[in-house]
Amino acid sequence: EDQVTQSPEALRLQEGESSSLNCSYTVSGLRGLFWYRQDPGKGPEFLFTLYSAGEEKEKERLKATLTKKESFLHITAPKPEDSATYLCAVRPGTYKYIFGTGTRLKVLA
Amino acid sequence: DGGITQSPKYLFRKEGQNVTLSCEQNLNHDAMYWYRQDPGQGLRLIYYSQIVNDFQKGDIAEGYSVSREKKESFPLTVTSAQKNPTAFYLCASSITRWEGRNTEAFFGQGTRLTVV
Protein backbone atom coordinates (compact mmCIF):
# COMPACT_ATOMS: atom_id res chain seq x y z
CA GLU A 1 0.00 0.00 0.00
CA ASP A 2 1.29 3.47 -0.89
CA GLN A 3 2.06 5.41 2.27
CA VAL A 4 3.74 8.60 3.49
CA THR A 5 5.00 9.07 7.05
CA GLN A 6 6.31 12.35 8.40
CA SER A 7 8.38 12.92 11.52
CA PRO A 8 8.48 14.46 13.97
CA GLU A 9 4.82 15.37 14.45
CA ALA A 10 5.83 18.63 16.10
CA LEU A 11 9.09 20.53 16.42
CA ARG A 12 10.02 23.59 18.45
CA LEU A 13 13.18 25.47 17.51
CA GLN A 14 14.87 28.58 18.72
CA GLU A 15 15.39 31.24 16.10
CA GLY A 16 18.59 30.36 14.23
CA GLU A 17 18.58 26.71 15.33
CA SER A 18 18.79 24.60 12.14
CA SER A 19 17.03 21.25 11.85
CA SER A 20 15.50 18.76 9.42
CA LEU A 21 12.04 17.33 8.85
CA ASN A 22 11.66 13.80 7.55
CA CYS A 23 9.25 12.31 5.01
CA SER A 24 9.53 8.57 4.41
CA TYR A 25 7.48 6.90 1.72
CA THR A 26 6.58 3.51 0.34
CA VAL A 27 5.12 3.66 -3.13
CA SER A 28 4.91 1.32 -6.06
CA GLY A 29 6.67 3.83 -8.30
CA LEU A 30 7.69 7.34 -7.32
CA ARG A 31 6.70 9.85 -9.95
CA GLY A 32 7.08 12.96 -7.86
CA LEU A 33 7.48 14.00 -4.22
CA PHE A 34 6.08 17.34 -3.16
CA TRP A 35 6.60 19.61 -0.17
CA TYR A 36 4.03 22.15 0.99
CA ARG A 37 3.77 24.74 3.72
CA GLN A 38 0.40 25.26 5.42
CA ASP A 39 -0.46 28.15 7.71
CA PRO A 40 -3.40 27.80 10.15
CA GLY A 41 -6.76 28.14 8.43
CA LYS A 42 -5.24 28.34 4.95
CA GLY A 43 -4.65 26.04 2.03
CA PRO A 44 -1.25 24.39 1.47
CA GLU A 45 1.29 26.48 -0.40
CA PHE A 46 3.54 24.62 -2.84
CA LEU A 47 7.27 24.65 -2.05
CA PHE A 48 9.19 21.98 -4.00
CA THR A 49 8.92 19.03 -6.36
CA LEU A 50 11.55 16.29 -6.41
CA TYR A 51 11.65 13.46 -8.94
CA SER A 52 14.78 11.36 -8.49
CA ALA A 53 17.19 10.25 -5.77
CA GLY A 54 19.97 12.74 -5.27
CA GLU A 55 17.92 15.69 -6.41
CA GLU A 56 17.96 18.86 -4.27
CA LYS A 57 15.93 22.07 -4.38
CA GLU A 58 16.46 25.28 -2.39
CA LYS A 59 14.38 28.32 -1.53
CA GLU A 60 15.58 30.89 0.97
CA ARG A 61 16.19 29.00 4.26
CA LEU A 62 14.65 25.74 2.99
CA LYS A 63 16.36 22.91 1.17
CA ALA A 64 14.65 19.68 0.12
CA THR A 65 16.54 16.48 -0.67
CA LEU A 66 15.43 13.07 -1.90
CA THR A 67 16.71 9.52 -1.47
CA LYS A 68 15.15 6.28 -2.64
CA LYS A 69 13.13 5.91 0.56
CA GLU A 70 12.81 9.36 2.11
CA SER A 71 12.98 13.09 1.70
CA PHE A 72 14.30 15.72 4.07
CA LEU A 73 13.34 19.35 4.42
CA HIS A 74 16.31 21.15 5.93
CA ILE A 75 15.64 24.48 7.59
CA THR A 76 18.73 26.64 8.06
CA ALA A 77 18.73 29.43 10.64
CA PRO A 78 14.91 29.52 10.89
CA LYS A 79 12.95 32.63 11.75
CA PRO A 80 9.60 32.89 13.56
CA GLU A 81 7.86 33.44 10.20
CA ASP A 82 8.89 29.91 9.20
CA SER A 83 6.45 28.57 11.79
CA ALA A 84 3.84 26.48 9.96
CA THR A 85 2.85 22.91 9.22
CA TYR A 86 4.97 21.31 6.51
CA LEU A 87 3.30 18.63 4.41
CA CYS A 88 4.87 16.02 2.20
CA ALA A 89 3.02 14.23 -0.60
CA VAL A 90 3.70 11.67 -3.31
CA ARG A 91 1.90 10.96 -6.53
CA PRO A 92 2.57 7.35 -7.44
CA GLY A 93 0.09 7.14 -10.29
CA THR A 94 -1.41 9.69 -12.60
CA TYR A 95 -4.19 11.03 -10.44
CA LYS A 96 -3.90 10.71 -6.69
CA TYR A 97 -1.72 12.66 -4.29
CA ILE A 98 -1.03 10.87 -0.99
CA PHE A 99 -0.24 13.18 1.90
CA GLY A 100 1.52 12.66 5.20
CA THR A 101 0.04 14.09 8.39
CA GLY A 102 2.58 16.89 8.48
CA THR A 103 5.14 18.35 10.88
CA ARG A 104 4.04 21.34 12.97
CA LEU A 105 7.02 23.66 13.26
CA LYS A 106 7.22 26.42 15.83
CA VAL A 107 10.17 28.80 15.76
CA LEU A 108 10.62 30.85 18.90
CA ALA A 109 12.13 34.34 18.85
CA ASP B 1 -3.79 36.56 -11.06
CA GLY B 2 -4.11 32.85 -11.77
CA GLY B 3 -5.29 30.68 -8.96
CA ILE B 4 -7.97 28.65 -7.27
CA THR B 5 -10.89 30.31 -5.53
CA GLN B 6 -12.96 28.54 -2.93
CA SER B 7 -16.10 30.02 -1.48
CA PRO B 8 -17.37 30.62 1.06
CA LYS B 9 -14.50 30.65 3.55
CA TYR B 10 -16.81 29.68 6.42
CA LEU B 11 -20.06 27.76 6.13
CA PHE B 12 -22.56 26.70 8.74
CA ARG B 13 -25.12 24.01 8.07
CA LYS B 14 -27.94 22.55 10.04
CA GLU B 15 -28.08 18.82 10.38
CA GLY B 16 -30.09 17.20 7.59
CA GLN B 17 -29.31 19.91 5.01
CA ASN B 18 -27.27 19.60 1.86
CA VAL B 19 -24.67 22.27 1.18
CA THR B 20 -22.52 23.05 -1.86
CA LEU B 21 -18.94 24.29 -1.73
CA SER B 22 -17.65 26.23 -4.71
CA CYS B 23 -14.26 25.79 -6.40
CA GLU B 24 -13.15 27.76 -9.46
CA GLN B 25 -9.73 27.78 -11.13
CA ASN B 26 -8.27 29.91 -13.92
CA LEU B 27 -5.02 27.97 -14.29
CA ASN B 28 -6.30 25.99 -17.30
CA HIS B 29 -5.65 22.77 -15.38
CA ASP B 30 -7.36 19.58 -16.49
CA ALA B 31 -7.35 17.80 -13.12
CA MET B 32 -9.22 18.97 -10.04
CA TYR B 33 -9.52 17.46 -6.58
CA TRP B 34 -11.42 17.74 -3.33
CA TYR B 35 -9.68 16.88 -0.07
CA ARG B 36 -10.91 16.87 3.49
CA GLN B 37 -8.60 17.82 6.35
CA ASP B 38 -9.27 16.92 9.99
CA PRO B 39 -7.00 17.71 12.96
CA GLY B 40 -4.18 15.20 13.29
CA GLN B 41 -4.96 13.54 9.97
CA GLY B 42 -3.49 13.97 6.55
CA LEU B 43 -5.47 15.25 3.61
CA ARG B 44 -7.96 12.62 2.48
CA LEU B 45 -9.21 12.49 -1.09
CA ILE B 46 -12.96 12.79 -1.59
CA TYR B 47 -13.34 13.06 -5.37
CA TYR B 48 -11.16 13.89 -8.33
CA SER B 49 -11.71 14.76 -11.95
CA GLN B 50 -9.21 14.50 -14.78
CA ILE B 51 -11.42 15.91 -17.50
CA VAL B 52 -14.71 17.69 -18.01
CA ASN B 53 -17.81 15.53 -17.51
CA ASP B 54 -15.80 12.80 -15.80
CA PHE B 55 -14.95 12.25 -12.14
CA GLN B 56 -14.00 9.39 -9.82
CA LYS B 57 -14.50 8.59 -6.17
CA GLY B 58 -11.57 8.99 -3.84
CA ASP B 59 -11.02 7.29 -0.51
CA ILE B 60 -13.90 8.90 1.41
CA ALA B 61 -16.62 9.68 -1.17
CA GLU B 62 -19.60 8.45 0.83
CA GLY B 63 -22.01 11.30 1.59
CA TYR B 64 -20.49 13.62 -1.03
CA SER B 65 -21.26 14.38 -4.67
CA VAL B 66 -19.55 16.45 -7.37
CA SER B 67 -20.03 17.67 -10.92
CA ARG B 68 -17.58 18.81 -13.60
CA GLU B 69 -19.57 20.59 -16.29
CA LYS B 70 -16.88 23.17 -17.00
CA LYS B 71 -13.10 22.91 -16.95
CA GLU B 72 -12.88 25.80 -14.50
CA SER B 73 -15.40 24.59 -11.94
CA PHE B 74 -15.66 21.58 -9.61
CA PRO B 75 -18.34 22.11 -6.94
CA LEU B 76 -18.68 19.71 -4.02
CA THR B 77 -22.02 18.94 -2.38
CA VAL B 78 -21.99 17.66 1.17
CA THR B 79 -25.20 15.73 1.59
CA SER B 80 -27.17 14.88 4.69
CA ALA B 81 -25.86 11.33 4.33
CA GLN B 82 -22.37 12.45 5.39
CA LYS B 83 -22.25 11.45 9.05
CA ASN B 84 -19.47 13.74 10.21
CA PRO B 85 -19.26 16.68 7.82
CA THR B 86 -17.60 19.25 10.09
CA ALA B 87 -14.13 19.68 8.60
CA PHE B 88 -11.83 21.88 6.52
CA TYR B 89 -12.36 21.26 2.79
CA LEU B 90 -9.63 21.92 0.25
CA CYS B 91 -9.93 22.11 -3.51
CA ALA B 92 -6.87 21.64 -5.71
CA SER B 93 -5.97 21.49 -9.37
CA SER B 94 -3.02 20.27 -11.40
CA ILE B 95 -1.72 19.54 -14.85
CA THR B 96 -2.13 15.81 -15.35
CA ARG B 97 1.36 15.26 -16.69
CA TRP B 98 4.17 17.42 -18.02
CA GLU B 99 6.97 15.91 -20.10
CA GLY B 100 6.02 12.51 -18.69
CA ARG B 101 6.32 13.62 -15.07
CA ASN B 102 3.68 14.13 -12.43
CA THR B 103 3.35 17.75 -11.43
CA GLU B 104 2.40 19.51 -8.24
CA ALA B 105 -1.13 20.42 -7.20
CA PHE B 106 -2.14 23.94 -6.30
CA PHE B 107 -4.67 24.54 -3.56
CA GLY B 108 -7.39 27.02 -2.76
CA GLN B 109 -7.68 28.68 0.63
CA GLY B 110 -10.22 26.21 1.92
CA THR B 111 -13.77 26.22 3.25
CA ARG B 112 -14.42 25.46 6.89
CA LEU B 113 -17.76 23.71 7.23
CA THR B 114 -19.44 23.48 10.61
CA VAL B 115 -22.63 21.54 11.24
CA VAL B 116 -24.76 23.14 13.94
Side-chain angles (χ1 to χ4, degrees):
Chain A
E1 182 185 352
D2 298 325
Q3 195 170 347
V4 176
T5 303
Q6 290 189 247
S7 63
E9 286 187 17
L11 182 63
R12 290 167 70 94
L13 299 173
Q14 291 295 130
E15 185 172 2
E17 179 186 2
S18 302
S19 187
S20 296
L21 313 182
N22 177 264
C23 170
S24 62
Y25 60 90
T26 52
V27 294
S28 50
L30 184 67
R31 295 182 180 86
L33 184 141
F34 311 94
W35 281 99
Y36 291 85
R37 169 193 170 125
Q38 186 176 24
D39 292 303
K42 296 193 174 181
E45 174 190 347
F46 169 70
L47 292 173
F48 303 111
T49 303
L50 301 166
Y51 288 109
S52 51
E55 189 174 358
E56 298 182 353
K57 294 274 181 74
E58 282 189 72
K59 180 180 179 181
E60 296 181 356
R61 294 176 293 282
L62 300 177
K63 182 167 113 175
T65 61
L66 182 65
T67 72
K68 287 188 177 179
K69 292 187 177 180
E70 57 192 349
S71 177
F72 293 93
L73 185 64
H74 307 279
I75 303 177
T76 302
K79 298 182 177 182
E81 53 261 43
D82 294 321
S83 297
T85 296
Y86 290 86
L87 300 171
C88 169
V90 297
R91 193 178 182 191
T94 58
Y95 69 91
K96 182 176 175 178
Y97 296 85
I98 300 171
F99 283 83
T101 54
T103 294
R104 294 190 311 278
L105 173 66
K106 178 73 173 176
V107 181
L108 304 171
Chain B
D1 284 336
I4 301 174
T5 302
Q6 288 187 243
S7 61
K9 187 172 182 178
Y10 299 98
L11 189 56
F12 295 88
R13 188 195 92 176
K14 291 184 178 180
E15 280 193 31
Q17 288 182 337
N18 293 355
V19 65
T20 297
L21 282 60
S22 171
C23 178
E24 302 277 333
Q25 56 100 357
N26 61 3
L27 299 168
N28 199 33
H29 286 170
D30 288 313
M32 296 188 74
Y33 311 81
W34 275 105
Y35 283 89
R36 169 180 172 143
Q37 188 173 36
D38 295 284
Q41 298 197 40
L43 277 67
R44 293 183 291 166
L45 183 65
I46 305 173
Y47 268 97
Y48 69 98
S49 168
Q50 290 188 286
I51 197 168
V52 174
N53 293 322
D54 187 46
F55 49 83
Q56 283 77 43
K57 293 181 179 179
D59 300 316
I60 56 165
E62 185 176 351
Y64 300 98
S65 66
V66 294
S67 63
R68 186 86 187 275
E69 297 176 1
K70 298 187 299 181
K71 188 175 186 178
E72 302 80 18
S73 179
F74 192 40
L76 173 74
T77 296
V78 184
T79 75
S80 57
Q82 169 49 233
K83 297 187 188 313
N84 186 20
T86 294
F88 189 51
Y89 290 88
L90 289 161
C91 178
S93 71
S94 73
I95 301 170
T96 306
R97 278 279 178 97
W98 178 72
E99 294 188 349
R101 289 179 161 183
N102 285 336
T103 58
E104 58 275 6
F106 293 91
F107 285 83
Q109 289 302 294
T111 292
R112 184 165 298 281
L113 172 64
T114 303
V115 174
V116 298

mmCIF file of all heavy atoms in Angstrom, chain B residues 80-104:
data_model
loop_
_atom_site.group_PDB
_atom_site.id
_atom_site.type_symbol
_atom_site.label_atom_id
_atom_site.label_comp_id
_atom_site.label_asym_id
_atom_site.label_seq_id
_atom_site.Cartn_x
_atom_site.Cartn_y
_atom_site.Cartn_z
ATOM 1 N N SER B 80 -26.763 15.234 3.330
ATOM 2 C CA SER B 80 -27.172 14.877 4.693
ATOM 3 C C SER B 80 -26.736 13.453 5.055
ATOM 4 O O SER B 80 -26.763 13.074 6.226
ATOM 5 C CB SER B 80 -28.690 15.017 4.835
ATOM 6 O OG SER B 80 -29.352 14.225 3.874
ATOM 7 N N ALA B 81 -26.317 12.688 4.064
ATOM 8 C CA ALA B 81 -25.858 11.325 4.332
ATOM 9 C C ALA B 81 -24.438 11.280 4.897
ATOM 10 O O ALA B 81 -24.009 10.240 5.413
ATOM 11 C CB ALA B 81 -25.904 10.500 3.039
ATOM 12 N N GLN B 82 -23.730 12.397 4.830
ATOM 13 C CA GLN B 82 -22.367 12.448 5.387
ATOM 14 C C GLN B 82 -22.497 12.549 6.904
ATOM 15 O O GLN B 82 -23.003 13.551 7.434
ATOM 16 C CB GLN B 82 -21.603 13.630 4.798
ATOM 17 C CG GLN B 82 -20.278 13.962 5.471
ATOM 18 C CD GLN B 82 -19.343 12.794 5.692
ATOM 19 O OE1 GLN B 82 -18.872 12.547 6.792
ATOM 20 N NE2 GLN B 82 -19.084 12.041 4.640
ATOM 21 N N LYS B 83 -21.999 11.554 7.603
ATOM 22 C CA LYS B 83 -22.250 11.450 9.045
ATOM 23 C C LYS B 83 -21.459 12.440 9.886
ATOM 24 O O LYS B 83 -21.873 12.822 10.976
ATOM 25 C CB LYS B 83 -21.946 10.028 9.506
ATOM 26 C CG LYS B 83 -22.849 8.976 8.878
ATOM 27 C CD LYS B 83 -22.636 7.610 9.496
ATOM 28 C CE LYS B 83 -23.390 6.508 8.767
ATOM 29 N NZ LYS B 83 -24.779 6.829 8.477
ATOM 30 N N ASN B 84 -20.322 12.840 9.416
ATOM 31 C CA ASN B 84 -19.470 13.735 10.210
ATOM 32 C C ASN B 84 -18.889 14.817 9.300
ATOM 33 O O ASN B 84 -17.697 14.790 8.988
ATOM 34 C CB ASN B 84 -18.350 12.926 10.875
ATOM 35 C CG ASN B 84 -17.533 13.770 11.826
ATOM 36 O OD1 ASN B 84 -17.977 14.816 12.272
ATOM 37 N ND2 ASN B 84 -16.335 13.320 12.114
ATOM 38 N N PRO B 85 -19.696 15.751 8.854
ATOM 39 C CA PRO B 85 -19.261 16.681 7.819
ATOM 40 C C PRO B 85 -18.414 17.857 8.304
ATOM 41 O O PRO B 85 -17.799 18.523 7.488
ATOM 42 C CB PRO B 85 -20.579 17.188 7.234
ATOM 43 C CG PRO B 85 -21.537 17.096 8.375
ATOM 44 C CD PRO B 85 -21.129 15.878 9.159
ATOM 45 N N THR B 86 -18.377 18.103 9.592
ATOM 46 C CA THR B 86 -17.602 19.246 10.093
ATOM 47 C C THR B 86 -16.132 19.005 9.823
ATOM 48 O O THR B 86 -15.540 18.041 10.326
ATOM 49 C CB THR B 86 -17.846 19.440 11.595
ATOM 50 O OG1 THR B 86 -19.221 19.812 11.800
ATOM 51 C CG2 THR B 86 -16.938 20.524 12.156
ATOM 52 N N ALA B 87 -15.524 19.864 9.004
ATOM 53 C CA ALA B 87 -14.133 19.682 8.601
ATOM 54 C C ALA B 87 -13.694 20.887 7.785
ATOM 55 O O ALA B 87 -14.478 21.779 7.470
ATOM 56 C CB ALA B 87 -13.964 18.405 7.765
ATOM 57 N N PHE B 88 -12.422 20.873 7.406
ATOM 58 C CA PHE B 88 -11.829 21.876 6.523
ATOM 59 C C PHE B 88 -11.704 21.225 5.146
ATOM 60 O O PHE B 88 -11.074 20.177 5.007
ATOM 61 C CB PHE B 88 -10.463 22.280 7.084
ATOM 62 C CG PHE B 88 -9.832 23.452 6.411
ATOM 63 C CD1 PHE B 88 -10.533 24.636 6.222
ATOM 64 C CD2 PHE B 88 -8.514 23.405 6.000
ATOM 65 C CE1 PHE B 88 -9.942 25.744 5.621
ATOM 66 C CE2 PHE B 88 -7.909 24.509 5.399
ATOM 67 C CZ PHE B 88 -8.616 25.668 5.217
ATOM 68 N N TYR B 89 -12.329 21.840 4.131
ATOM 69 C CA TYR B 89 -12.359 21.263 2.792
ATOM 70 C C TYR B 89 -11.449 22.053 1.865
ATOM 71 O O TYR B 89 -11.521 23.286 1.781
ATOM 72 C CB TYR B 89 -13.790 21.255 2.249
ATOM 73 C CG TYR B 89 -14.668 20.266 2.976
ATOM 74 C CD1 TYR B 89 -15.349 20.643 4.127
ATOM 75 C CD2 TYR B 89 -14.785 18.950 2.535
ATOM 76 C CE1 TYR B 89 -16.136 19.739 4.811
ATOM 77 C CE2 TYR B 89 -15.570 18.040 3.216
ATOM 78 C CZ TYR B 89 -16.241 18.442 4.356
ATOM 79 O OH TYR B 89 -17.016 17.527 5.036
ATOM 80 N N LEU B 90 -10.613 21.318 1.145
ATOM 81 C CA LEU B 90 -9.634 21.924 0.251
ATOM 82 C C LEU B 90 -9.841 21.450 -1.172
ATOM 83 O O LEU B 90 -9.979 20.257 -1.431
ATOM 84 C CB LEU B 90 -8.221 21.570 0.703
ATOM 85 C CG LEU B 90 -7.753 22.258 1.986
ATOM 86 C CD1 LEU B 90 -6.580 21.509 2.599
ATOM 87 C CD2 LEU B 90 -7.382 23.701 1.697
ATOM 88 N N CYS B 91 -9.846 22.391 -2.086
ATOM 89 C CA CYS B 91 -9.929 22.106 -3.510
ATOM 90 C C CYS B 91 -8.544 22.332 -4.114
ATOM 91 O O CYS B 91 -7.808 23.237 -3.689
ATOM 92 C CB CYS B 91 -10.954 23.029 -4.156
ATOM 93 S SG CYS B 91 -11.132 22.817 -5.933
ATOM 94 N N ALA B 92 -8.173 21.510 -5.067
ATOM 95 C CA ALA B 92 -6.869 21.639 -5.706
ATOM 96 C C ALA B 92 -6.996 21.360 -7.197
ATOM 97 O O ALA B 92 -7.980 20.768 -7.657
ATOM 98 C CB ALA B 92 -5.864 20.674 -5.076
ATOM 99 N N SER B 93 -5.997 21.801 -7.942
ATOM 100 C CA SER B 93 -5.967 21.490 -9.367
ATOM 101 C C SER B 93 -4.531 21.236 -9.782
ATOM 102 O O SER B 93 -3.580 21.653 -9.101
ATOM 103 C CB SER B 93 -6.575 22.627 -10.197
ATOM 104 O OG SER B 93 -5.727 23.757 -10.204
ATOM 105 N N SER B 94 -4.358 20.542 -10.897
ATOM 106 C CA SER B 94 -3.018 20.275 -11.399
ATOM 107 C C SER B 94 -3.073 19.969 -12.892
ATOM 108 O O SER B 94 -4.121 19.623 -13.439
ATOM 109 C CB SER B 94 -2.385 19.097 -10.666
ATOM 110 O OG SER B 94 -2.966 17.878 -11.070
ATOM 111 N N ILE B 95 -1.913 20.094 -13.529
ATOM 112 C CA ILE B 95 -1.719 19.537 -14.854
ATOM 113 C C ILE B 95 -1.612 18.032 -14.648
ATOM 114 O O ILE B 95 -1.036 17.574 -13.666
ATOM 115 C CB ILE B 95 -0.425 20.070 -15.483
ATOM 116 C CG1 ILE B 95 -0.474 21.602 -15.580
ATOM 117 C CG2 ILE B 95 -0.200 19.466 -16.857
ATOM 118 C CD1 ILE B 95 0.854 22.213 -15.961
ATOM 119 N N THR B 96 -2.186 17.251 -15.531
ATOM 120 C CA THR B 96 -2.135 15.810 -15.348
ATOM 121 C C THR B 96 -0.713 15.297 -15.472
ATOM 122 O O THR B 96 -0.198 14.593 -14.619
ATOM 123 C CB THR B 96 -3.029 15.100 -16.375
ATOM 124 O OG1 THR B 96 -4.337 15.655 -16.289
ATOM 125 C CG2 THR B 96 -3.093 13.615 -16.096
ATOM 126 N N ARG B 97 -0.034 15.663 -16.493
ATOM 127 C CA ARG B 97 1.357 15.264 -16.695
ATOM 128 C C ARG B 97 2.066 16.365 -17.450
ATOM 129 O O ARG B 97 1.461 17.118 -18.196
ATOM 130 C CB ARG B 97 1.438 13.979 -17.519
ATOM 131 C CG ARG B 97 1.244 12.693 -16.735
ATOM 132 C CD ARG B 97 2.516 12.297 -16.039
ATOM 133 N NE ARG B 97 2.403 11.096 -15.239
ATOM 134 C CZ ARG B 97 2.757 9.890 -15.645
ATOM 135 N NH1 ARG B 97 3.224 9.726 -16.870
ATOM 136 N NH2 ARG B 97 2.649 8.866 -14.840
ATOM 137 N N TRP B 98 3.371 16.467 -17.266
ATOM 138 C CA TRP B 98 4.173 17.424 -18.020
ATOM 139 C C TRP B 98 5.484 16.762 -18.364
ATOM 140 O O TRP B 98 6.234 16.381 -17.475
ATOM 141 C CB TRP B 98 4.391 18.698 -17.209
ATOM 142 C CG TRP B 98 5.239 19.714 -17.900
ATOM 143 C CD1 TRP B 98 4.888 20.486 -18.973
ATOM 144 C CD2 TRP B 98 6.590 20.040 -17.588
ATOM 145 N NE1 TRP B 98 5.931 21.285 -19.336
ATOM 146 C CE2 TRP B 98 6.982 21.038 -18.511
ATOM 147 C CE3 TRP B 98 7.496 19.610 -16.637
ATOM 148 C CZ2 TRP B 98 8.246 21.592 -18.493
ATOM 149 C CZ3 TRP B 98 8.764 20.166 -16.614
ATOM 150 C CH2 TRP B 98 9.115 21.150 -17.541
ATOM 151 N N GLU B 99 5.761 16.587 -19.639
ATOM 152 C CA GLU B 99 6.969 15.906 -20.104
ATOM 153 C C GLU B 99 7.113 14.541 -19.413
ATOM 154 O O GLU B 99 8.204 14.151 -19.009
ATOM 155 C CB GLU B 99 8.211 16.760 -19.857
ATOM 156 C CG GLU B 99 8.207 18.025 -20.702
ATOM 157 C CD GLU B 99 9.528 18.801 -20.619
ATOM 158 O OE1 GLU B 99 10.363 18.464 -19.755
ATOM 159 O OE2 GLU B 99 9.687 19.735 -21.418
ATOM 160 N N GLY B 100 5.993 13.848 -19.255
ATOM 161 C CA GLY B 100 6.015 12.506 -18.687
ATOM 162 C C GLY B 100 6.134 12.462 -17.176
ATOM 163 O O GLY B 100 6.199 11.383 -16.594
ATOM 164 N N ARG B 101 6.175 13.605 -16.514
ATOM 165 C CA ARG B 101 6.316 13.619 -15.065
ATOM 166 C C ARG B 101 5.046 14.123 -14.404
ATOM 167 O O ARG B 101 4.338 14.966 -14.956
ATOM 168 C CB ARG B 101 7.462 14.538 -14.662
ATOM 169 C CG ARG B 101 8.819 14.002 -15.004
ATOM 170 C CD ARG B 101 9.899 14.982 -14.588
ATOM 171 N NE ARG B 101 11.186 14.327 -14.485
ATOM 172 C CZ ARG B 101 12.288 14.934 -14.092
ATOM 173 N NH1 ARG B 101 12.265 16.200 -13.756
ATOM 174 N NH2 ARG B 101 13.437 14.266 -14.012
ATOM 175 N N ASN B 102 4.789 13.601 -13.213
ATOM 176 C CA ASN B 102 3.678 14.125 -12.434
ATOM 177 C C ASN B 102 4.045 15.494 -11.882
ATOM 178 O O ASN B 102 5.176 15.716 -11.452
ATOM 179 C CB ASN B 102 3.346 13.181 -11.279
ATOM 180 C CG ASN B 102 2.614 11.953 -11.752
ATOM 181 O OD1 ASN B 102 1.983 11.968 -12.790
ATOM 182 N ND2 ASN B 102 2.681 10.886 -10.987
ATOM 183 N N THR B 103 3.093 16.388 -11.878
ATOM 184 C CA THR B 103 3.353 17.751 -11.426
ATOM 185 C C THR B 103 2.619 18.037 -10.126
ATOM 186 O O THR B 103 1.751 17.281 -9.698
ATOM 187 C CB THR B 103 2.903 18.766 -12.483
ATOM 188 O OG1 THR B 103 1.506 18.570 -12.727
ATOM 189 C CG2 THR B 103 3.678 18.585 -13.781
ATOM 190 N N GLU B 104 2.971 19.160 -9.529
ATOM 191 C CA GLU B 104 2.396 19.507 -8.244
ATOM 192 C C GLU B 104 0.952 19.970 -8.382
ATOM 193 O O GLU B 104 0.526 20.407 -9.440
ATOM 194 C CB GLU B 104 3.216 20.626 -7.581
ATOM 195 C CG GLU B 104 3.322 21.891 -8.411
ATOM 196 C CD GLU B 104 4.456 21.849 -9.434
ATOM 197 O OE1 GLU B 104 5.104 20.785 -9.595
ATOM 198 O OE2 GLU B 104 4.682 22.874 -10.094
#
